[in-house]
């Protein structure tokens, strides 16, 4: 759900960015047009004043009509420019909010991923504890073959933990707790009797350890 919402939000950001760029271009064009109208009006006003000074009233009247028409066009352009500026500001505010929402969703996605990985690490810790108890029980009952198989399972859990630790951002205290439990679960720390102190008949898992440690 968060992923879909984030994708929709990113699409909205892309669309708003396009609209914002277009609005900025239109605003620039309107500013240019307004500046052009102002320049033309200034020139017509000078020409009108020169006609009045020369008492060329007919020319002055013609110029005055042109000034009125151009002023009306200029006023419309100025109003459109003002409206465009307001729309641009509103669009920019909407885009900022959409970007903030997209960033918030990205953080939430990351938090969800980290929570899942933390839960996976805690599950591995629980599995390691169960395997450790089973190993201790099997060793106590002299079931060394079963204990050796459990050791293989423990090593698999350790490897999964290492991969998880290198590819995720699970909080360090979880790794530390897991590593502490792992340190206490090797066959050596559980004091498995060595093959030198057991006869083959008394050691039903001797061939398993050889297979685990040898070539084949």
């Amino acid at each position: 759900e968060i992923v879909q919402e984030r994708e929709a939000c990113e699409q909205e950001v892309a669309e708003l960015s396009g609209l914002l760029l277009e609005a900025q271009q239109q605003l620039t064009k309107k500013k240019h047009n307004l500046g052009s109208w102002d320049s033309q009006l200034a020139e017509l006003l000078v020409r009108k004043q020169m006609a009045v000074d020369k008492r060329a009233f007919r020319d002055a009247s013609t110029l005055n009509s042109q000034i009125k028409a151009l002023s009306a066009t200029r006023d419309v352009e100025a109003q459109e420019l003002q409206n465009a500026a307001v729309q641009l500001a509103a669009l920019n505010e909407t885009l900022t909010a959409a970007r903030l929402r997209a960033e918030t969703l990205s953080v939430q996605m990351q938090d969800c991923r980290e929570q899942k990985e933390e839960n996976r690490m805690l599950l591995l810790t629980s599995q390691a504890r169960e395997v450790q108890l089973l190993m201790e029980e099997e060793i106590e009952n002299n079931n060394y073959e079963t204990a050796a198989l459990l050791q293989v399972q423990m090593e698999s859990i350790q490897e999964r933990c290492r991969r998880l630790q290198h590819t995720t951002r699970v909080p360090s205290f979880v790794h530390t707790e897991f590593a502490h439990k792992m340190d206490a679960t090797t066959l050596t720390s559980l004091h498995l009797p060595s093959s030198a102190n057991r006869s083959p008949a008394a050691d039903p898992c001797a061939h398993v350890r050889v297979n685990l440690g040898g070539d084949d």
Side-chain angles (χ1 to χ4, degrees), residues 123-136 150 154:
L123 178 60
L124 288 174
T125 304
S126 177
Q127 291 175 348
R129 186 183 300 112
E130 293 175 2
V131 172
Q132 177 184 355
L133 294 176
L134 289 173
M135 287 172 60
E136 292 174 347
L150 289 171
M154 179 64 71

Side-chain angles (χ1 to χ4, degrees), residues 187-204:
L187 286 175
T188 302
S189 65
L190 292 174
H191 304 294
L192 273 177
S194 64
S195 59
N197 296 328
R198 296 197 308 270
S199 65
D203 186 2

Side-chain angles (χ1 to χ4, degrees), residues 57-74:
F57 298 117
R58 181 176 296 179
D59 292 342
S61 178
T62 300
L63 290 169
N64 188 60
S65 297
Q66 294 177 0
I67 289 172
K68 287 182 179 180
L70 191 58
S71 294
T73 302
R74 189 265 179 200

Side-chain angles (χ1 to χ4, degrees), residues 81-204:
L81 176 63
Q82 183 177 356
N83 294 339
V86 172
Q87 293 175 359
L88 181 63
L91 188 59
N92 188 54
E93 183 177 350
T94 303
L95 177 59
T96 300
R99 284 174 173 166
L100 180 60
R101 179 58 180 165
E103 292 175 1
T104 300
L105 290 171
S106 296
V107 172
Q108 290 178 357
M109 287 177 59
Q110 180 65 28
D111 290 343
C112 287
R113 283 195 295 266
E114 291 180 2
Q115 183 62 49
K116 288 180 180 179
E117 299 305 336
E118 181 178 346
N119 291 340
R120 286 180 60 192
M121 182 66 77
L122 293 175
L123 178 60
L124 288 174
T125 304
S126 177
Q127 291 175 348
R129 186 183 300 112
E130 293 175 2
V131 172
Q132 177 184 355
L133 294 176
L134 289 173
M135 287 172 60
E136 292 174 347
E137 182 178 350
E138 295 301 331
I139 292 171
E140 184 177 353
N141 295 328
N142 295 325
N143 295 327
Y144 302 114
E145 182 174 1
T146 303
L149 294 175
L150 289 171
Q151 173 66 13
V152 173
Q153 184 177 350
M154 179 64 71
E155 291 172 353
S156 175
I157 294 176
Q158 289 176 310
E159 179 59 28
R160 289 164 62 191
C161 175
R162 280 191 289 269
R163 288 199 302 266
L164 190 61
Q165 186 173 4
H166 289 136
T167 59
T168 64
R169 296 174 56 188
V170 177
S172 58
F173 74 86
V174 177
H175 291 309
T176 302
E177 179 184 1
F178 186 86
H180 177 71
K181 295 182 184 300
M182 290 294 98
D183 289 342
T185 56
T186 63
L187 286 175
T188 302
S189 65
L190 292 174
H191 304 294
L192 273 177
S194 64
S195 59
N197 296 328
R198 296 197 308 270
S199 65
D203 186 2

